[in-house]
Amino acid sequence: MNNLKLLFIPVLLMLYGCKDEKSVDYSVLHTGALINLISGNLEATASLDSIQDLPHLYALGALENLKGEIQIFNGKSYVSKAFDKDSVLLERDFNHKAALLVYAQVEEWTNSIMLEQFSDLKSLEQQIEKQASLHGIDTNQPFPFLIKGEVDQVNWHVINWKDGDKEHNHKKHQESGAYGIIENQEIEIIGFYSTKHKAVFTHHTTFLHMHFKEVNDHMIAGHVDDLKASKATLYIPKIR
């Protein structure tokens, strides 16, 4: 891997950081793109240890060669790897490389915003957009968010792509490693909303990309495929 590519993140940080005063606290950065992964380019675009010292760091992504999922909550790493359909290993270090990485630094979040009951991602997406607008977020620009609480159901997966497989699609990505359904469990979600990054860091059918971790036993963390909740709270960056 060319070292220049792995050291590109600080340059991106400077470029994306040159925004108005309101957006500088939660500017979203990314390396890699979903469309590249679907095209079969699975090599690393960033090294996690190059961002581990950034304060108030929140991130998600996929490991190089699609061998796991990346979750970072307030500077704490939860990298998940699948060894079979039911077995997930969580690694808490930054000694990993990412094929896709999306991240932001959020020093302060809003107070909890109670979400209305939702049974699909479209309904959740609409609520997030509405609440972000009400709290002064420019929804024409990407922004991070958190969701916390005991959810009714989360469909999840941790990718473990087969070496040499050139035929990529979303269903195969979901089923290549570990996957399942968690019900009535307390989880925490890091997500990113964007209307301008379909096939870059959101899938082509949604403005959202979300990863989660279990709160109580920290046994599972990974990509959110679907979500239902009667009681959940939303947090978005606080505009000073």
Side-chain angles (χ1 to χ4, degrees):
M1 170 55 55
N2 189 313
N3 289 332
L4 182 61
K5 186 178 290 185
L6 298 182
L7 295 175
F8 193 54
I9 289 177
V11 178
L12 283 174
L13 184 60
M14 289 187 291
L15 292 175
Y16 277 73
C18 296
K19 297 184 178 181
D20 62 75
E21 189 173 290
K22 284 188 176 181
S23 66
V24 70
D25 287 339
Y26 61 89
S27 297
V28 176
L29 300 106
H30 72 91
T31 67
L34 289 169
I35 192 170
N36 294 340
L37 302 182
I38 295 296
S39 299
N41 184 357
L42 310 183
E43 67 179 18
T45 62
S47 179
L48 293 191
D49 60 14
S50 68
I51 63 170
Q52 68 177 1
D53 294 328
L54 295 178
H56 315 296
L57 177 65
Y58 295 83
L60 58 79
L63 294 178
E64 65 177 331
N65 299 315
L66 298 183
K67 294 297 185 180
E69 310 285 349
I70 297 164
Q71 297 76 218
I72 299 175
F73 292 84
N74 198 19
K76 296 181 179 180
S77 173
Y78 300 85
V79 172
S80 51
K81 297 179 179 179
F83 291 96
D84 55 44
K85 299 301 182 185
D86 303 307
S87 177
V88 175
L89 172 67
L90 285 185
E91 298 183 1
R92 301 294 301 274
D93 61 85
F94 285 78
N95 188 29
H96 303 278
K97 294 177 182 178
L100 173 69
L101 182 66
V102 190
Y103 67 100
Q105 294 172 257
V106 184
E107 182 176 356
E108 189 173 5
W109 299 90
T110 59
N111 294 330
S112 60
I113 302 166
M114 183 61 67
L115 292 168
E116 298 177 3
Q117 181 177 357
F118 58 89
S119 59
D120 55 51
L121 296 185
K122 188 62 178 178
S123 174
L124 173 61
E125 180 184 287
Q126 292 170 346
Q127 291 195 59
I128 291 172
E129 190 278 334
K130 176 182 177 181
Q131 292 298 333
S133 295
L134 289 173
H135 287 79
I137 297 289
D138 180 2
T139 57
N140 290 315
Q141 301 298 324
F143 62 88
F145 61 87
L146 298 176
I147 295 175
K148 299 180 182 181
E150 182 177 313
V151 298
D152 300 337
Q153 181 176 305
V154 56
N155 297 54
W156 62 272
H157 78 265
V158 174
I159 197 166
N160 185 16
W161 194 249
K162 182 180 179 180
D163 292 335
D165 190 343
K166 304 296 184 182
E167 184 181 344
H168 290 262
N169 60 61
H170 188 53
K171 187 174 187 296
K172 286 180 68 175
H173 281 198
Q174 290 176 319
E175 298 179 354
S176 67
Y179 59 93
I181 297 174
I182 295 173
E183 296 181 324
N184 304 316
Q185 292 291 325
E186 186 176 358
I187 66 171
E188 183 173 357
I189 290 172
I190 172 62
F192 292 88
Y193 175 102
S194 179
T195 60
K196 298 179 178 179
H197 290 86
K198 285 187 174 182
V200 179
F201 62 75
T202 74
H203 293 287
H204 68 280
T205 60
T206 179
F207 295 149
L208 306 179
H209 190 163
M210 299 183 292
H211 285 203
F212 82 102
K213 67 178 178 70
E214 286 186 318
V215 170
N216 294 323
D217 55 16
H218 299 301
M219 292 298 292
I220 299 177
H223 181 95
V224 175
D225 294 314
D226 204 358
L227 185 66
K228 299 178 181 180
S230 303
K231 296 179 181 179
T233 53
L234 171 70
Y235 300 80
I236 51 181
K238 186 174 183 178
I239 301 297
R240 294 187 179 89

